[in-house]
Amino acid sequence: RHQLECQSGPLDILEKLIQRYPKQLGFSLFLAATRFPTHSTELMSDIFKSLEDFTQDHMEQCVEHFQGVRRSESVTVDTLVGELMIIAFSHFHGGFTLRPSSGNLQALKLVRDRYPRSILYVDQYEYIPLHGACCAFNMCVFKYFIEWHLEMRPDGKGGLYSMN
């Protein structure tokens, strides 16, 4: 999983992996598809199905992976996707090196279309997906997250004042 999250892989391999191991790799493949240029609509659809079918399992992987504290409320797919977007561009993930080319706007647009409210997620530390995007060296990704947040909460100043 670590290699997929930090280096990705060829599209045909990623598509085979999500079909064979949706419960085990949906989380990692979401990170790979949103971080790196390799994605397809079919791959993203399979990743979304995995996130929807195994929401709780993926959130447990996320908590285990990043040693977070489990929230008491129930986990929805929007909660999971919000959490994944916080960590997608985070610099604290061992082995993942951010570059100006990091971030896949086409994949992020598919995420936005499918889970528009996930941008409003707030974790137990009061982080929002924009926190993750702030770490992205790709200004297009950062601007995209602000526009998305404004679309979902027009009075929210793009999420910039929601950040601690």
Side-chain angles (χ1 to χ4, degrees):
R1 288 192 291 178
H2 186 301
Q3 185 171 353
L4 288 173
E5 295 167 11
C6 297
Q7 298 174 13
S8 194
L11 181 59
D12 61 327
I13 300 297
L14 300 179
E15 288 175 340
K16 288 176 185 171
L17 287 172
I18 192 63
Q19 291 170 3
R20 288 190 183 156
Y21 306 104
K23 183 176 179 180
Q24 296 82 2
L25 296 179
F27 167 94
S28 298
L29 290 169
F30 179 92
L31 294 179
T34 55
R35 288 174 169 173
F36 302 103
T38 304
H39 88 288
S40 70
T41 304
E42 182 180 333
L43 174 64
M44 292 305 294
S45 293
D46 289 343
I47 291 170
F48 295 155
K49 181 166 178 12
S50 167
L51 298 180
E52 292 163 6
D53 290 350
F54 305 105
T55 303
Q56 188 64 41
D57 296 298
H58 291 308
M59 186 58 104
E60 288 174 14
Q61 284 180 17
C62 186
V63 169
E64 174 188 319
H65 203 60
F66 295 97
Q67 301 176 358
V69 177
R70 197 174 315 249
R71 294 183 75 161
S72 58
E73 72 252 13
S74 63
V75 176
T76 66
V77 72
D78 281 317
T79 302
L80 172 63
V81 171
E83 185 71 34
L84 287 168
M85 288 191 305
I86 290 172
I87 64 175
F89 302 105
S90 297
H91 64 280
F92 63 83
H93 187 277
F96 175 58
T97 304
L98 286 163
R99 295 176 180 82
S101 61
S102 296
N104 185 331
L105 276 178
Q106 295 307 313
L108 290 169
K109 287 176 182 179
L110 294 171
V111 174
R112 180 181 180 176
D113 289 345
R114 184 90 167 230
Y115 310 108
R117 298 198 48 78
S118 63
I119 195 73
L120 301 176
Y121 170 71
V122 180
D123 77 0
Q124 69 268 16
Y125 303 108
E126 298 185 18
Y127 287 124
I128 62 175
L130 190 56
H131 279 92
C134 284
C135 297
F137 292 150
N138 185 333
M139 286 307 290
C140 293
V141 168
F142 183 64
K143 288 177 186 176
Y144 188 76
F145 273 63
I146 292 172
E147 290 169 3
W148 181 1
H149 197 281
L150 279 170
E151 178 184 294
M152 295 308 298
R153 186 169 287 148
D155 62 340
K157 299 179 181 153
L160 295 173
Y161 292 95
S162 300
M163 296 172 55
N164 55 6

